[in-house]
Amino acid sequence: RDDIARIVLAYATQRYRRSALFVIKKEMLVGWEGGGSEISRAAVRGIMVPLTNPSIFKTVFETKVLYCGGVPHTTVNDIFFNALGDPRPERVVVVPFVLKDKVACVLYADGGDIDDENPASIGELYQLGRAVSSAFENLILRAKRS
């Protein structure tokens, strides 16, 4: 699991200024790992976001669909960006990793080509989300067989 996280963050940090992985625990988004030029692992590990109030993360959690766009000012979004640190980006991407029809974790990223009107990396991120979800499912199946 941690190897998959490192691979995902290695990919993301090559393309985006900041990226972070979050796991879902009891309707909370909990910081797992972070990377990039303007983010620290310790900062990410201290972030907890409720998935019960309006936010970009609640939208991704409920729809199970990649989000790319601007970030509306909601209480949860504002608290998230205060915890993440400046600057607050104009556009972000949040990629869900879905296991057995539930979002298990998400990749957050900002900077890079998502600041463009038609980011080229969105197709890659969509494919990455599918591949990571499949890899996690395979790990779980392997663990059950052993």
Side-chain angles (χ1 to χ4, degrees):
R1 184 182 93 142
D2 291 336
D3 290 339
I4 293 170
R6 278 191 286 280
I7 291 166
V8 168
L9 282 175
Y11 168 86
T13 56
Q14 290 176 13
R15 288 163 176 76
Y16 308 102
R17 185 187 49 189
R18 296 187 292 195
S19 58
L21 282 168
F22 296 88
V23 296
I24 310 295
K25 294 182 180 179
K26 297 182 181 178
E27 295 196 357
M28 289 288 286
L29 195 71
V30 179
W32 179 12
E33 293 287 340
S37 61
E38 298 177 28
I39 192 170
S40 73
R41 182 179 186 195
V44 170
R45 292 212 166 181
I47 296 175
M48 294 179 72
V49 177
L51 295 171
T52 53
N53 299 334
S55 72
I56 54 174
F57 300 105
K58 180 181 181 186
T59 300
V60 169
F61 179 68
E62 290 178 344
T63 64
K64 303 174 186 81
V65 175
L66 178 146
Y67 176 86
C68 180
V71 183
H73 282 279
T74 68
T75 301
V76 174
N77 287 342
D78 293 346
I79 290 170
F80 172 78
F81 286 110
N82 285 337
L84 195 61
D86 289 329
R88 182 185 178 115
E90 288 186 32
R91 296 173 57 87
V92 302
V93 64
V94 180
V95 182
F97 301 135
V98 181
L99 305 175
K100 296 187 179 183
D101 205 37
K102 290 185 179 181
V103 178
C105 57
V106 299
L107 171 66
Y108 164 88
D110 65 39
D113 76 345
I114 58 173
D115 291 334
D116 299 335
E117 197 61 36
N118 296 305
S121 62
I122 295 305
E124 291 177 9
L125 285 173
Y126 176 77
Q127 293 301 325
L128 177 69
R130 292 182 60 165
V132 169
S133 296
S134 179
F136 279 133
E137 285 180 2
N138 287 337
L139 278 176
I140 292 167
L141 289 174
R142 231 178 291 148
K144 286 181 179 180
R145 282 184 275 203
S146 354

